[in-house]
Amino acid sequence: MTPTDNINIVVASNNHYAILLAALIKSIEVHHKTPEKISLYILDDGISADSQKKIRASVSKEMVEMHWHKTNTVIPKNVKIPVDKSAFPVTTYLRLFADQVMPADTKRFIYLDVDMIVKEDISKLWNADLKDKPIGAVLDLSETAGSEWGGIPNYKELGIAPESKYFNAGMMVVDVQKWKKGDLGNKVIQCLHDNLASVNFADQYGLNVVLVNQWQELDPKWNSFAITDVKDPYLIHYLDIKPIFKSYNSIPRYQDEFYTYLRQTPWKNHKPIPDYVRIARKAYNKAKKIVSAYLK
């Protein structure tokens, strides 16, 4: 990448997690020191007008250029989202088709889950060497396909070696041309339909099956999980209960760091909210997934 290229970042959010997106993009802005501007592609799964206004006000227009894309413009009409057994929202599947909303000559993008904050200059991740692989990512907590509690439950049936490395899909650096050429979005969706009984972590399962041994492992500090105590992480990923909830149960100082950035946004007065809201959202996510699949 050259210093004149914009850094393309893709995020996907519903209205529930718009507040997380504000903290994420503020953290990116605070630590970005090199000359590139940021093109932020927001895959919008129902973010309200009020939340959109707050997100826009969270960062400088001079540094961050936002492109908003509604769900129905991201997922192709002929694609049927699988109804897996997880509570992951439909929003998670949008990343599979991010290439659909970007200019045809786009070379790469960084995908980030919104439950993250960035503590290093994003340009360093942008310039990561993918070594001719379609994506770069970081090992998941389960680490291998044969993990007893994560990984790929039916790895044996698929002929995948149990020691094959398994990545977390919350942060990916994507070579767009390789993604398009491999038709990877559609392949992942088909994989999920074909193996629905074994799908444990939504499209992360399919990504790891389709891209087994075909991804570049990046520095683990670029996807450091909030339940692990890592010295000077580049990116903190709140995998478990999010820091906006009273029942947050990961490392306490990471919740404090989240609020350091959130306080620099229009959500600056936010206080952690009761756990029943989180539980209700999970139920909502499951119901919406079923309805969306039926309507497709």
Side-chain angles (χ1 to χ4, degrees):
M1 306 298 113
T2 70
T4 56
D5 288 336
N6 280 16
I7 295 174
N8 302 314
I9 299 176
V10 174
V11 294
S13 183
N14 54 30
N15 196 53
H16 295 315
Y17 284 156
I19 186 172
L20 299 180
L21 174 53
L24 168 61
I25 60 176
K26 174 52 70 174
S27 71
I28 292 170
E29 179 189 52
V30 167
H31 296 287
H32 181 47
K33 306 301 181 186
T34 52
E36 311 95 334
K37 297 205 171 164
I38 292 168
S39 291
L40 183 69
Y41 292 84
I42 300 171
L43 310 183
D44 173 7
D45 190 22
I47 300 174
S48 72
D50 180 60
S51 293
Q52 287 188 32
K53 183 179 178 181
K54 289 179 179 177
I55 289 167
R56 288 190 178 96
S58 294
V59 290
S60 160
K61 292 179 182 178
E62 285 68 39
M63 181 181 288
V64 182
E65 177 185 69
M66 297 186 186
H67 307 270
W68 296 79
H69 298 277
K70 294 287 187 184
T71 300
N72 60 4
T73 67
V74 179
I75 299 176
K77 299 292 185 187
N78 63 331
V79 171
K80 184 177 181 181
I81 297 298
V83 184
D84 63 72
K85 57 193 174 187
S86 76
F88 288 96
V90 174
T91 320
T92 190
Y93 295 96
L94 297 177
R95 59 187 167 191
L96 297 177
F97 301 100
D99 61 295
Q100 303 286 316
V101 301
M102 308 186 87
D105 61 350
T106 303
K107 294 177 182 177
R108 71 165 53 181
F109 65 81
I110 299 170
Y111 170 81
L112 298 175
D113 276 352
V114 294
D115 58 344
M116 296 176 161
I117 57 170
V118 174
K119 293 174 55 60
E120 179 57 276
D121 195 323
I122 198 70
S123 65
K124 294 181 180 179
L125 180 59
W126 175 246
N127 289 302
D129 185 0
L130 301 189
K131 298 186 178 176
D132 211 34
K133 298 291 198 309
I135 74 162
V138 168
L139 275 180
D140 187 66
L141 282 168
S142 58
E143 295 190 348
T144 63
S147 166
E148 291 183 2
W149 61 269
I152 300 169
N154 61 333
Y155 69 89
K156 290 180 182 177
E157 293 86 338
L158 294 171
I160 294 173
E163 67 274 14
S164 298
K165 291 183 176 181
Y166 178 94
F167 64 88
N168 181 278
M171 186 288 293
M172 297 185 292
V173 183
V174 178
D175 182 314
V176 178
Q177 300 309 314
K178 284 185 170 57
W179 185 277
K180 285 178 178 288
K181 186 176 180 181
D183 194 24
L184 297 180
N186 284 312
K187 283 182 179 176
V188 169
I189 291 293
Q190 189 58 53
C191 171
L192 297 172
H193 283 298
D194 291 345
N195 300 278
L196 202 53
S198 298
V199 175
N200 49 1
F201 293 103
D203 59 323
Q204 181 170 285
Y205 165 93
L207 282 160
N208 273 277
V209 172
V210 171
L211 290 169
V212 64
N213 301 321
Q214 294 296 317
W215 60 280
Q216 177 59 35
E217 185 176 352
L218 302 180
D219 188 329
K221 286 191 174 186
W222 279 115
N223 195 351
S224 183
F225 309 114
I227 62 172
T228 60
D229 195 350
V230 174
K231 184 180 179 182
D232 300 326
Y234 303 153
L235 181 154
I236 299 169
H237 188 177
Y238 300 92
L239 267 184
D240 199 8
I241 298 173
K242 310 311 175 194
I244 57 173
F245 295 110
K246 287 183 177 179
S247 55
Y248 171 83
N249 59 355
S250 297
I251 292 174
R253 76 171 186 277
Y254 291 154
Q255 186 179 36
D256 295 338
E257 292 201 47
F258 170 84
Y259 275 97
T260 295
Y261 299 107
L262 192 66
R263 288 190 201 103
Q264 300 175 61
T265 78
W267 276 283
K268 61 186 177 182
N269 295 320
H270 180 272
K271 300 289 190 298
I273 54 184
D275 203 43
Y276 72 83
V277 176
R278 180 181 67 87
I279 294 167
R281 286 178 184 178
K282 281 196 169 188
Y284 172 84
N285 289 340
K286 284 188 175 183
K288 184 176 179 182
K289 194 182 297 183
I290 292 169
V291 171
S292 296
Y294 177 77
L295 293 175
K296 273 281 184 180

